[in-house]
Structure formats: C-alpha cells, structure tokens
Amino acid sequence: SMAGEAGGAALADKLFSLSGLFAVRKPKGPTSAAVLNLLKERLLAEAGVQTKGNKRNQVLKIGHGGTLDSAAAGVLVVGIGKGTKMLGTMLAGSKKYTAIGMLGKATDTLDATGKVTEEKPYDQVTKGDLENVLQKFTGDIMQVPPLYSALKKDGERLSTLMKRGEAVEAKPARPVRVYSLSLQQFQPPLFTLDVECGGGFYVRSLVNDIGKELSTCASVQELTRTKQGPFTLEEHALHEDKWTIDEIAQSLEHCSALLLGEPARKKLKTEHPGETAVICE
C-alpha cells in the first residue's frame, strides 16, 4: 500500500538523519564488529532499506569507539552519521571495567577463551598481598599489550596473525594511565577488580602482570566494561531489544546533553598509537 511505503520512507529518512553518539550493551561472545554489523542490519531492515541494489544508494555511517574483546561484555559506544567523527575522543577517554581474575592459570589469550599455557600454586597469596600489588599498577605505568589483540602489524590484526600460526613479536611496553584500581572480592582462586583507566589500556595484561607480581600466574575469567566516557552500562547502554530507530533517536537526544558535560581528561601524548575508531559503511 502507498501509505505503508510512505511510512517506510519516513522511517528511512529518520534513520539517515540520525547523528551523534549513543551506547549499546555488547553481550559476551560476538566481536565488537559483529555487534555493529547486527545493529546496522536491524536498523536498515526496520527502515525497509534494501542493502543490495539500494536505489537511494545512501550509506548508513556507523562506527564504534573502541573494541571490546569478544569474551567481554558491556558498554560499546556507537557513532552514527556525523557522530562517527567524534569516536576518536572516545578511544582516548576514560573507561571503567569490572574484571574477575583467576589465580594459578595463565592462557595464551590472557583470558578464559585461550589455551592454558601455565599452572602454578596460588595458595600462598593473601588478600593483603593482592591489595599491596595493586598499588604498583595505579597511576602512570608501562604496559605490554597482549599478543592476541586488535592492534595491527602491517595492516593485519595481531590476533589474526596469531591464529594463522605466524610468529608475532610482542609490541613494546607503552605508557598507560590507571586512575583507580580496587579489589572488590577475594575468593581464591578468584578475585574481582574495579579499574578506571585511560585509552589503550588492556585489563587482560593487567591481570596477567598482577599474577606475575604475586609469583604465580593469572588470567581474566570475566570482563565487563561498565563505563566509557560519560556512558554507563546501567543508565545508557541499549539492550538488544531496544535497537530500534526510535529508541536510538531518543538515546541520541539524552546523550548529546551528557557529552557537553563531559570533563576533558588530559591525554598522554603517546596514548594508543595505532588504535583507531572502527567505522563500517
């Protein structure tokens, strides 16, 4: 019917006029890129836009402001329309994570998805030992990024090269910033950390390094990003059932006010070289 088509066209116009930053809740499992693709497919389908042989030939510009590991869940900041140009500031901004680490087991990926590479006793580690060690990892520190990561060598992701069995040299240690780090729970072998950090920081490397400092080893069991810039998981991240044009339009309105109030964190000069916002068209 003509009315139906007109309604669809109006929705498509609304979709292509969306602009700004909003946040979605990334579930555990898919990559950040896959979540973005799913979101994009949903929106185009709702607007009735054929992606193949698209007469209007409009491109939906959408990107995210910083990869979350596939095993991780939580806040993924998304830019749409002109908002894609604002994603760089999100990469550099502060982020908060809750991580559950496991003592006594190291893996090649530094998290629960990898192969176990080492097992060591951990019964000697006390809550006090762990709290003392955390002080060493607070402030401006040097950190070696994980081999399995979204960082690139010759234009290819390190994780892709690793999976192909190619020899990958560790990236050099780089300065990162930890604003706060606290122990929330200690039930050996598990321990829960809250971390607030700057751009280019890897929680998996932190947990691995903490294990070494304690003369044992450790890997991440679970990782959740609870905040990125002004976007929090509880207040702003849209669950999958809210990935609709109207919900996102509303969210963009709320969030534009948020972004104006965001205090600028001072950036380290060397923060996250080689990390870029991912924009897929």
Side-chain angles (χ1 to χ4, degrees), residues 23-273:
V24 296
R25 185 193 175 280
K26 179 197 169 298
K28 212 165 130 172
T31 63
S32 294
V35 169
L36 209 61
N37 283 330
L38 180 63
L39 173 67
K40 193 173 166 175
E41 275 170 31
R42 285 274 188 90
L43 295 174
L44 289 168
E46 186 192 345
V49 178
Q50 298 294 318
T51 38
K52 306 257 185 301
N54 179 1
K55 284 198 297 286
R56 306 165 60 130
N57 215 8
Q58 272 175 299
V59 174
L60 182 60
K61 264 200 164 168
I62 195 165
H64 69 71
T67 305
L68 260 182
D69 296 331
S70 51
V75 177
L76 189 65
V77 175
V78 178
I80 192 165
K82 292 195 179 76
T84 52
K85 294 186 172 60
M86 300 156 72
L87 290 168
T89 57
M90 280 295 121
L91 285 165
S94 85
K95 302 163 185 69
K96 281 186 182 169
Y97 296 90
T98 298
I100 300 176
M102 180 184 258
L103 293 168
K105 265 199 177 100
T107 70
D108 55 0
T109 58
L110 313 188
D111 67 15
T113 65
K115 291 202 260 310
V116 175
T117 52
E118 195 180 12
E119 297 200 49
K120 280 187 159 180
Y122 57 84
D123 345 346
Q124 72 283 6
V125 177
T126 66
K127 189 178 179 186
D129 293 336
L130 198 44
E131 284 173 332
N132 288 339
V133 156
L134 295 188
Q135 290 168 21
K136 292 189 183 179
F137 293 98
T138 306
D140 291 334
I141 61 168
M142 296 299 284
Q143 184 187 67
V144 177
L147 284 177
Y148 279 91
S149 74
L151 297 183
K152 293 187 171 161
K153 180 196 171 198
D154 307 329
E156 280 208 272
R157 285 177 185 266
L158 293 185
S159 49
T160 310
L161 296 171
M162 292 283 291
K163 283 172 192 157
R164 253 201 335 252
E166 295 190 22
V168 175
E169 268 176 63
K171 291 256 178 190
R174 53 193 195 165
V176 290
R177 186 165 285 176
V178 179
Y179 297 106
S180 66
L181 177 57
S182 59
L183 181 65
Q184 297 301 313
Q185 259 191 316
F186 183 58
Q187 293 173 300
L190 300 178
F191 60 97
T192 305
L193 303 174
D194 275 352
V195 191
E196 185 177 3
C197 54
F201 181 86
Y202 280 91
V203 179
R204 286 182 291 142
S205 290
L206 169 73
V207 167
N208 184 57
D209 293 344
I210 286 171
K212 287 182 185 158
E213 272 297 322
L214 292 167
S215 307
T216 177
C217 52
S219 50
V220 170
Q221 277 304 102
E222 270 189 51
L223 181 61
T224 308
R225 182 153 67 196
T226 55
K227 190 170 193 264
Q228 181 170 6
F231 300 96
T232 67
L233 184 56
E234 286 187 355
E235 288 177 87
H236 311 112
L238 298 175
H239 282 250
E240 211 184 309
D241 58 347
K242 298 251 163 79
W243 294 0
T244 66
I245 294 166
D246 281 345
E247 288 281 357
I248 288 168
Q250 275 178 33
S251 198
L252 287 167
E253 272 182 47
H254 291 311
C255 294
S256 60
L258 261 188
L259 290 160
L260 294 171
E262 172 71 344
R265 289 267 196 199
K266 276 228 291 289
K267 224 161 92 178
L268 286 170
K269 278 198 185 64
T270 50
E271 215 159 47
H272 67 268

